Amino acid sequence: MFQLSLATFRERRSLFAGAVLIVTLGVALVQSSLLILVSAASPVLPPGLSLQDAERLRDGYSAAVALLAMMLAIATFLAVFIVASTFAFTVAQRRRDLALLRLTGAGRGQVRRLLLSEAILLGLIGTLAGVPAGLVVQRWQAALLVGLDFLPPDFSVRWQGWILAVSAGIGVGIAVLGVLAAARRASKVLPLEALRDLGEAAKVMTGPRWFSGILFLGGALALVILTPASSDEAAIPLAVNGAIAAAVGLSVLSPLVVPLAGRVLGLFLRRSTLGMLAQANLRDGVRRSASTAAPLLVLVALVLSLSGTLGTISAASRAAQAQNTAADLVVESAGPVPHDVPGVAVASAETPVTMTITSYDAKQKAKTKNVRALAVDPESYAKVHPLTPSSLADLRGMTMAMTESHDDSLGDLVQATVGGRDLRLRVAAILPDQVNGGPGVLIPREVAASSDDGASTETLVRLVPGADATAVAATYRTAGARVTTIADWLEASASAQEAMNTRIMAVLLGLSGGYAVVAVINAIVIAGAQRRAEFAAARASGLYRGQVVRMALVESGVVAAIGVGLGTLAAAGPLTGIGRAMNRMSGTQVFFVPWVPFLLILAGTVLTVSVTSVLTALSATRPAPVTLLAGEGR
C-alpha cells in the first residue's frame, strides 16, 4: 500500500500540494507556539531587579503564557479541522479512482489502509518541511510578542530536543485524524455507485455528519448558556470556544445551506445565463462549495468572537469604572501630597503593592501566588468608590479584603508576605468580582507601611461643591504631583485596556488568521484545478473564456457569502452570552458589535476570494478545450 501511496502522490501531486502546505504550516505554528510557551513559562530574570520591575516582568510573562496557551489551542484546532476538511475534499475528488481500485479487487480495508498510508506520508512530508519553517515562524512570533510588550527585548527561545518528536507526532497526528472520517466513508461506498455518482456516493449529508453537526451545535449552546454566569477570566475562553464549536457545527451542516443559497442566487440572476449556470454548479457541487466555505466560516467566527468578546469586556470595564468612581481629580505622586487642601472634600490615596499569598489545598500542599493589592484608607476609599461594600469598615489592622474569585472566605486567616514581612491577615471583607482590572485585594495602609515597591500613589480627590478645580490642581502641582481630571484619567485607563486588547488580537489572529486565509486560498485552488474538464465543456458549448471566469467568480462570491454569513451566525450566540455576563458584573447594559473587524474581514474576504478564483479559473482555462475534453491537457 505504501508503494501505491507514493505512486498516487506522484500522479496527484497538484491535489496533494495544498494538503502538504496546510500540514507544514500547522506543524510550524504549533511548534513555534509550544517552544515560546515553554521558554516563557520558566523565565530567567536578570539579577539586581527591584521588586516592582521583577513583578512587572512576571506579569508580562504570565500574560504571554496565557496568550500562547490560547494560540496553541487555536492553532491545533485549526490544523486538525482544516486538514480534515481538505482531505475530505481531496478524497471526494478521487472517488472514481477509488471505485476503480475496488473493482480491480481491493477490499474496504485496503482502501482505508491506502488512505491512511497517504495521510502518514503527508504527515511525514509536512513534518520535514514544518520543523525548519517553525524556526522562521518562531522568530516572527517572538518578535511580535516582544514588539507588543508581552515579552522583554532580551527574551530568547530555548531549543528543546524533544520538540522534534512532538512535531512529528503533530504532523502525522493531524494528517491521520484528518483522513479517518474520509477513509471510513470512502471504503463504505459501493464501486458502481461511485463511478455513476449515485446512492451513498452522491449523498453529502450522511448520518455521522448529521450527528456531529448537531453535537457541536449543542455544545456551543451549552457554552453560551454557561458564559453569562462566569467570571470575566472564564468568559473569554467560554465565548471563543462556543464560537468555534458553533463554527464546526455549522460547517458540517453547511451543505444544507449551499442549495438554498443557489436558489436565492437564481432569484436575482435568473435572466443571466452566467447566473443560471453558477446556480446549477452550486446545486451540483455542494461538497466542493461546503469545503471551500469551511475555513472561511471558522476564520470569521474566530475573528468576530475574539474582537467582540474583548470589545464587550472593554466597554463594560469602562462603564463600571465610571460608575464606581465618585471623584473630580486624580493626583499622582511618588511621595506624600499636601493634606487639608482648601476645596477638597475627600482624598483617597491608593498605592499599588506587590504581595504574596500562600494558600493550601485539601492535601495541605502550599500554593503561592503574587497579587497586586491596593493599600488604602478604608473610610476615604469607600467614599470615592460608591460600589464598595459597607463591610469595608472592618478593614483595620492586620486585615485584608479580597474578591469572590479567591478561595478564602470571610474571617479566614491568610498567610501573606508584604514588604519582606510574613504576616497572617484576616479576611475582613469580600469584594464583588469586578470587570477586567479592578483591584483584587485591598489592605490598610499600615499593613503596607514597610513596602519598598517604589510605586506611585494615585489620590482620588472629590471637591467641595463650588470649589475651584483649577486652584486645587495648582496646589497639588506645586508639591510636584501630576494632576488630571477624572474624565481624562478614566479615558486613559480605558484606552490602555483597549490597547491591550488590540495587542491580544494581534497575537492570536496574526498567525492563526493568516493560516486560515491560506486554507481558504488552498480550497479554492484545489476546487478550480479539478474543474478543467468542466470549464472546457462549458467553453465547447459556446461560452467564451472570460464568461467562464466570471461564472467561477460568481460561484466563489456566493460561497464566500455563505462562509461569512454562517461565521457571523456562529459568533452571534457567544457574543450575546459574553454581553450578558458583562452586564451582570458591571451593572450596566453593554453590548459591543465589532463593526470594524467585520468590515475588514468582509473586505479581505472579497479581495482574497475574488483574486484567487479569477487566477485559478484563468489557469484552468488556459489549455484549449479540445485537449482537455480529449484527456490530453493537464
Side-chain angles (χ1 to χ4, degrees):
M1 282 298 169
F2 198 71
Q3 295 280 343
L4 187 57
S5 298
L6 286 173
T8 304
F9 256 81
R10 287 193 296 267
E11 178 68 21
R12 295 275 187 168
R13 55 184 177 272
S14 61
L15 191 62
F16 285 104
V20 170
L21 175 62
I22 294 300
V23 175
T24 298
L25 292 178
V27 170
L29 188 55
V30 174
Q31 173 187 294
S32 170
S33 300
L34 188 56
L35 279 176
I36 299 176
L37 175 63
V38 171
S39 299
S42 55
V44 179
L45 300 182
L49 287 179
S50 66
L51 184 62
Q52 185 180 11
D53 291 338
E55 186 59 29
R56 187 180 298 112
L57 272 179
R58 289 193 187 95
D59 289 344
Y61 277 116
S62 298
V65 167
L67 278 177
L68 287 164
M70 289 185 66
M71 172 167 276
L72 185 61
I74 291 173
T76 304
F77 159 75
L78 285 175
V80 174
F81 175 80
I82 292 173
V83 169
S85 176
T86 303
F87 228 115
F89 185 36
T90 56
V91 170
Q93 296 286 81
R94 298 167 52 202
R95 59 183 180 273
R96 295 181 186 273
D97 295 349
L98 297 175
L100 288 174
L101 188 63
R102 291 283 308 279
L103 287 175
T104 59
R108 291 181 176 180
Q110 290 175 307
V111 171
R112 284 195 296 269
R113 287 196 296 274
L114 170 66
L115 294 176
L116 287 175
S117 297
E118 293 175 359
I120 293 173
L121 183 59
L122 173 69
L124 291 175
I125 296 173
T127 299
L128 290 175
V131 170
L135 299 178
V136 178
V137 173
Q138 173 189 301
R139 294 190 185 95
W140 291 345
Q141 194 173 3
L144 179 63
L145 289 167
V146 170
L148 295 174
D149 295 330
F150 285 108
L151 294 174
D154 60 349
F155 174 77
S156 61
V157 182
R158 297 189 295 275
W159 174 259
Q160 308 288 339
W162 49 260
I163 198 68
L164 294 176
V166 172
S167 296
I170 291 169
V172 176
I174 61 177
V176 171
L177 287 175
V179 79
L180 281 177
R184 180 178 176 274
R185 172 173 165 77
S187 65
K188 292 177 63 177
V189 176
L190 297 176
L192 291 178
E193 288 182 349
L195 286 174
R196 301 178 63 185
D197 203 17
L198 299 172
E200 289 295 324
K203 187 186 297 184
V204 179
M205 290 305 300
T206 60
R209 192 170 190 126
W210 276 105
F211 175 78
S212 58
I214 294 173
L215 179 65
F216 275 102
L217 288 180
L221 180 60
L223 291 175
V224 170
I225 294 173
L226 289 174
T227 301
S230 63
S231 63
D232 61 331
E233 292 88 356
I236 295 177
L238 283 177
V240 174
N241 289 333
I244 290 176
V248 174
L250 289 174
S251 66
V252 172
L253 300 177
S254 61
L256 299 174
V257 181
V258 172
L260 177 62
R263 285 193 288 271
V264 172
L265 174 67
L267 295 177
F268 289 97
L269 299 176
R270 61 176 56 187
R271 294 184 180 180
S272 168
T273 302
L274 294 182
M276 295 301 292
L277 285 173
Q279 177 192 14
N281 288 333
L282 285 170
R283 184 179 61 248
D284 295 337
V286 171
R287 185 180 285 109
R288 177 181 65 237
S289 301
S291 298
T292 305
L296 182 59
L297 193 161
V298 173
L299 174 62
V300 172
L302 191 61
V303 171
L304 294 186
S305 62
L306 270 174
S307 59
T309 296
L310 295 175
T312 300
I313 291 177
S314 292
S317 178
R318 179 191 289 257
Q321 192 172 21
Q323 190 179 28
N324 193 33
T325 305
D328 300 293
L329 299 173
V330 177
V331 179
E332 184 179 354
S333 64
V337 296
H339 296 284
D340 301 325
V341 175
V344 173
V346 181
S348 173
E350 304 172 7
T351 306
V353 175
T354 300
M355 63 183 296
T356 302
I357 295 178
T358 303
S359 58
Y360 297 87
D361 58 19
K363 298 181 179 179
Q364 294 301 306
K365 184 177 180 181
K367 183 175 68 173
T368 301
K369 60 181 177 180
N370 295 320
V371 298
R372 297 290 284 175
L374 277 184
V376 299
D377 173 67
E379 183 178 356
S380 57
Y381 182 87
K383 289 180 180 178
V384 298
H385 296 285
L387 298 184
T388 303
S390 58
S391 58
L392 205 62
D394 297 330
L395 192 64
R396 291 283 187 270
M398 294 293 105
T399 60
M400 63 187 300
M402 57 175 51
T403 57
E404 299 169 354
S405 59
H406 291 272
D407 298 330
D408 300 284
S409 304
L410 188 66
D412 288 352
L413 290 176
V414 178
Q415 183 176 333
T417 302
V418 182
R421 296 187 301 161
D422 293 330
L423 307 171
R424 291 183 65 81
L425 303 178
R426 180 176 57 84
V427 180
I430 299 295
L431 305 172
D433 283 329
Q434 301 189 32
V435 179
N436 201 31
V441 174
L442 298 178
I443 56 176
R445 299 197 66 81
E446 57 264 30
V447 173
S450 62
S451 177
D452 58 353
D453 277 7
S456 298
T457 297
E458 287 184 337
T459 303
L460 274 65
V461 175
R462 192 169 72 201
L463 302 178
V464 174
D468 186 356
T470 303
V472 172
T475 302
Y476 284 116
R477 290 192 181 102
T478 302
R482 179 175 176 269
V483 184
T484 57
T485 64
I486 194 64
D488 291 341
W489 181 76
L490 290 173
E491 181 61 31
S493 178
S495 298
Q497 181 60 51
E498 289 166 3
M500 171 67 75
N501 291 344
T502 301
R503 300 205 303 269
I504 292 174
M505 283 284 296
V507 172
L508 289 178
L509 297 179
L511 296 177
S512 56
Y515 182 37
V517 169
V518 171
V520 173
I521 296 173
N522 175 60
I524 296 174
V525 171
I526 292 178
Q530 298 302 310
R531 299 180 67 188
R532 292 188 174 189
E534 177 187 333
F535 290 158
R539 293 175 65 190
S541 65
L543 292 182
Y544 295 108
R545 186 186 182 191
Q547 291 175 307
V548 173
V549 172
R550 288 197 298 274
M551 178 187 69
L553 179 61
V554 172
E555 288 181 49
S556 298
V558 175
V559 172
I562 293 172
V564 172
L566 292 180
T568 304
L569 181 62
L575 288 183
T576 302
I578 193 71
R580 291 175 58 194
M582 293 301 105
N583 291 344
R584 173 183 60 81
M585 295 181 64
S586 66
T588 58
Q589 294 297 314
V590 174
F591 185 74
F592 177 82
V593 179
W595 288 113
V596 173
F598 176 78
L599 294 176
L600 287 176
I601 198 171
L602 182 62
T605 297
V606 171
L607 180 63
T608 301
V609 170
S610 299
V611 172
T612 306
S613 61
V614 168
L615 293 178
T616 303
L618 286 173
S619 176
T621 56
R622 184 174 293 115
V626 66
T627 60
L628 291 172
L629 293 176
E632 298 175 1
R634 289 193 177 184

